[in-house]
Amino acid sequence: MAFLLYGCATTAALPGLFPNSTTCSLSSHPSKPTNPSFRTTRSLTFSPLRVAAPPTQPVTSDQSNEEREDEVVAVDDERSSSSSKFLWRDHWYPVSLIEDLDTNRPTPFQLLGRDIVLWKDKSTAEWVAFDDKCPHRLAPLSEGRIDENGYLQCSYHGWSFDKCGSCKRIPQALPEGPEARAVGSPRACATRFPTMVSQGLLFVWPDENGWERASATKPPMLPDEFENPEFSTVTIQRDLFYGYDTLMENVSDPSHIDFAHHKVTGRRDRAKPLPFKLESSGPGGFAGANDGNPRISAKFVAPCYYMNKIEIDTKLPIVGEQKWKIWICSFNVPMAPGKTRSIVCSARNFFQFSMPGPAWWQVVPRWHEHWTSNKVYDGDMIVLQGQEKVFLSKSKEGSADVNEQYTQITFTPTQSDRFVLAFRNWLRRHGNSQPDWFGISNQGPLPSTVLSKRQMLDRFEQHTLNCSSCKGAYTTFQTMQKLFIGAAVVFCATTGIPSEMWIRVILAGLALLSSALAYALHELQKNFVFVDYVHAEIE
């Protein structure tokens, strides 16, 4: 998924999404001091740390998985000890693209297994994140509303909360006495998490007690090219019903593109060896690249940020030699066991006319670009569902960690799998083999083990409902379809009225045209809802 838009006409500059400078204020919890001047800087550039590492040798056919993993571990050992522990809750997590959040109602989300609610305080224009339960009787605040005063109101008994989590109104309380004072009790407050807006993304710090650490920590940043006018950009997010580790392994694997995404972003006949070299690795992630054309540079920033930079040297008629650059930056956010949000931000410096954007000549809408992007998600979906089922059965058979047994239950003899091994190694050595979930004990079956293919490929629930562009386009298509159906009925009903034959022919033609347009809109709407994906049918 990291190569979501690789090789196809995708990406678009979204007005206001990436401002020239990013100022981020970190609002404080009622019990914590405010830090209104917290500012993020765009200092992250794609320059992986270089460390001394054994040279990569050509891989022979009989080289074992264990030997290949040892190479990954050798690089890791030069930067950290095997006892290094990664703290999952001490990091910023992007939870949504700002443009896809509804400013008029609360939005539910899951982060590390914890239910949270996102809403915008209109008085300060700040995005706020609460624990998704009212302190009164633990009803979900995400089922509430933004009341007339701009507070978040619980839909169960009407308790209202301001942006700091302080209770502002208890309708059932008497105007005097202990009940009147209950509104000021700390027990009446909603639990608030640190939030930050940066480069068009809303970030949440998942520890309500981590305000000081959050204010001292920068969120992961997109490369500078996302603000360069020579690059066009596009963004998408989709909730996927397979685990964080399954998705991270997928985005670490560029070699699957030509097969899993044949005629979407790759071609089977263009597949070739990808001899990647691991350049750095440690608790904070890893980085590496290949030396071919195209040159693919990859960097994993723990816990969920993966950057790919593709550089292509090409020669075109008239304009001559060109250096095309593509950035695919994916945030793979662990929502719950077996469920992950994929947020992908892409940029490129060629064929901008075929991408969404603010320029008058960029006429491709964002929702149309998402049709292509969702084909990429669908191309991986059932393959990864099957893979996750096998891994789960293997872990139950031996009661062992898949990451520890990975090189025994898979066969990865080529250098194209180097980043996959690097991720599995990082997860085992530093990430405790899985995210640090909140309150996950007697876990039920993973979604991928019980959902049907139709449910796994459900674009409407996973994407359209949470995408401002696709949701708006889908509604428009439905309205237009109804209008054309109505027009077809009217034209059919009036065809026999005029005495002149030529008028009857025109009305009949309009009825047929309206019916055809209504049917076409019906078929196009499937791109927002469900499109079956069968690899064998793509020649």
Side-chain angles (χ1 to χ4, degrees):
M1 211 69 68
F3 287 77
L4 189 61
L5 308 177
Y6 173 58
C8 64
T10 53
T11 58
L14 303 172
L17 183 60
F18 303 116
N20 291 331
S21 60
T22 305
T23 302
C24 306
S25 60
L26 186 65
S27 303
S28 64
H29 189 275
S31 62
K32 300 290 183 182
T34 303
N35 184 2
S37 61
F38 181 64
R39 181 182 298 269
T40 62
T41 59
R42 295 168 47 255
S43 59
L44 177 62
T45 57
F46 198 91
S47 54
L49 295 173
R50 304 276 177 168
V51 299
T56 303
Q57 299 297 332
V59 180
T60 59
S61 60
D62 59 349
Q63 186 175 12
S64 68
N65 282 17
E66 290 81 356
E67 289 173 325
R68 300 205 52 74
E69 186 183 35
D70 287 343
E71 293 178 12
V72 175
V73 174
V75 178
D76 198 14
D77 284 339
E78 300 215 6
R79 295 199 51 80
S80 64
S81 67
S82 60
S83 61
S84 300
K85 292 299 179 182
F86 181 81
L87 301 178
W88 289 86
R89 302 180 186 182
D90 276 359
H91 292 272
W92 288 107
Y93 289 83
V95 294
S96 179
L97 295 161
I98 290 294
E99 64 181 320
D100 290 329
L101 284 170
D102 192 335
T103 59
N104 297 314
R105 61 174 59 187
T107 301
F109 189 73
Q110 267 189 310
L111 180 58
L112 294 175
R114 189 169 190 173
D115 293 322
I116 64 175
V117 57
L118 313 169
W119 64 286
K120 189 173 186 179
D121 178 63
K122 295 185 177 180
S123 63
T124 61
E126 292 182 30
W127 283 99
V128 183
F130 285 171
D131 195 5
D132 194 15
K133 59 176 182 284
C134 179
H136 175 216
R137 299 261 293 279
L138 309 183
L141 291 172
S142 57
E143 288 296 321
R145 59 186 283 268
I146 310 300
D147 68 13
E148 296 75 13
N149 298 312
Y151 302 139
L152 178 60
Q153 184 181 82
C154 179
S155 62
Y156 198 17
H157 295 92
W159 288 32
S160 296
F161 306 90
D162 66 11
K163 67 172 186 176
C164 296
S166 299
C167 185
K168 306 302 291 185
R169 182 169 181 259
I170 300 178
Q172 297 79 17
L174 295 172
E176 297 179 356
E179 290 189 9
R181 294 191 295 272
V183 72
S185 170
R187 296 188 62 188
C189 293
T191 301
R192 186 185 182 190
F193 303 101
T195 56
M196 176 186 297
V197 174
S198 177
Q199 295 182 302
L201 292 160
L202 175 61
F203 289 84
V204 173
W205 189 277
D207 182 4
E208 67 270 30
N209 299 313
W211 289 82
E212 292 182 5
R213 296 191 300 278
S215 64
T217 306
K218 298 176 183 177
M221 305 293 289
L222 296 171
D224 291 342
E225 282 84 347
F226 278 79
E227 296 179 17
N228 186 335
E230 295 181 359
F231 284 74
S232 292
T233 65
V234 71
T235 57
I236 186 173
Q237 62 187 24
R238 181 167 171 175
D239 296 339
L240 307 171
F241 285 107
Y242 44 79
Y244 156 85
D245 58 334
T246 303
L247 180 57
M248 278 302 310
E249 179 180 317
N250 176 251
V251 302
S252 304
D253 173 28
S255 64
H256 79 280
I257 296 169
D258 289 320
F259 294 93
H261 309 305
H262 176 59
K263 289 189 176 180
V264 181
T265 59
R267 293 187 67 90
R268 298 178 188 127
D269 57 357
R270 295 177 185 172
K272 63 179 183 180
L274 293 173
F276 290 115
K277 298 178 182 178
L278 196 65
E279 298 167 342
S280 65
S281 182
F286 58 83
N290 72 328
D291 293 324
N293 184 28
R295 185 176 191 272
I296 303 173
S297 305
K299 185 176 184 180
F300 167 52
V301 180
C304 63
Y305 186 28
Y306 204 96
M307 293 180 283
N308 282 292
K309 182 180 182 181
I310 302 99
E311 299 172 281
I312 307 171
D313 293 320
T314 186
K315 189 173 183 179
L316 300 177
I318 302 176
V319 296
E321 294 184 356
Q322 298 286 305
K323 193 174 190 66
W324 292 350
K325 296 180 181 178
I326 309 170
W327 280 98
I328 300 101
C329 301
S330 63
F331 298 91
N332 311 290
V333 187
M335 300 176 68
K339 188 176 183 182
T340 313
R341 169 162 288 188
S342 169
I343 303 175
V344 178
C345 305
S346 303
R348 74 169 187 229
N349 66 346
F350 60 96
F351 293 161
Q352 289 94 328
F353 62 86
S354 63
M355 301 161 59
W360 64 268
W361 43 267
Q362 290 179 301
V363 297
V364 177
R366 182 177 180 238
W367 54 262
H368 186 272
E369 181 58 41
H370 287 181
W371 287 0
T372 300
S373 299
N374 275 315
K375 286 183 182 178
V376 179
Y377 282 117
D378 292 348
D380 285 328
M381 194 74 68
I382 305 305
V383 176
L384 296 181
Q385 179 189 29
Q387 180 192 49
E388 189 165 87
K389 286 181 179 179
V390 174
F391 280 150
L392 182 62
S393 65
K394 292 290 185 181
S395 65
K396 288 182 176 179
E397 286 174 8
S399 299
D401 177 16
V402 167
N403 299 289
E404 292 180 356
Q405 303 296 324
Y406 191 82
T407 55
Q408 279 74 48
I409 61 179
T410 66
F411 182 53
T412 52
T414 69
Q415 295 179 70
S416 62
D417 292 318
R418 188 178 295 274
F419 296 153
V420 173
L421 294 177
F423 169 70
R424 287 293 179 177
N425 179 62
W426 175 87
L427 190 59
R428 174 177 60 85
R429 292 165 59 81
H430 306 296
N432 197 34
S433 292
Q434 65 173 335
D436 185 10
W437 305 110
F438 285 91
I440 302 296
S441 53
N442 296 325
Q443 176 187 323
L446 295 180
S448 62
T449 64
V450 296
L451 296 183
S452 66
K453 182 179 183 180
R454 175 64 176 78
Q455 291 171 315
M456 291 292 293
L457 295 174
D458 188 344
R459 296 183 182 182
F460 189 75
E461 292 288 339
Q462 298 173 17
H463 171 72
T464 300
L465 284 177
N466 299 317
C467 175
S468 58
S469 301
C470 291
K471 187 177 182 180
Y474 179 69
T475 302
T476 301
F477 276 38
Q478 286 183 311
T479 302
M480 292 176 63
Q481 181 187 1
K482 292 175 182 177
L483 290 175
F484 282 122
I485 291 174
V489 172
V490 171
F491 289 137
C492 285
T494 57
T495 299
I497 296 177
S499 58
E500 294 84 353
M501 180 59 66
W502 66 272
I503 297 180
R504 293 185 179 184
V505 171
I506 290 176
L507 290 174
L510 290 174
L512 289 173
L513 178 61
S514 298
S515 299
L517 290 173
Y519 177 76
L521 287 169
H522 170 72
E523 290 298 304
L524 288 174
Q525 288 176 49
K526 293 179 180 179
N527 289 285
F528 299 112
V529 181
F530 167 78
V531 178
D532 195 11
Y533 201 103
V534 182
H535 288 274
E537 295 179 356
I538 305 174
E539 297 297 332

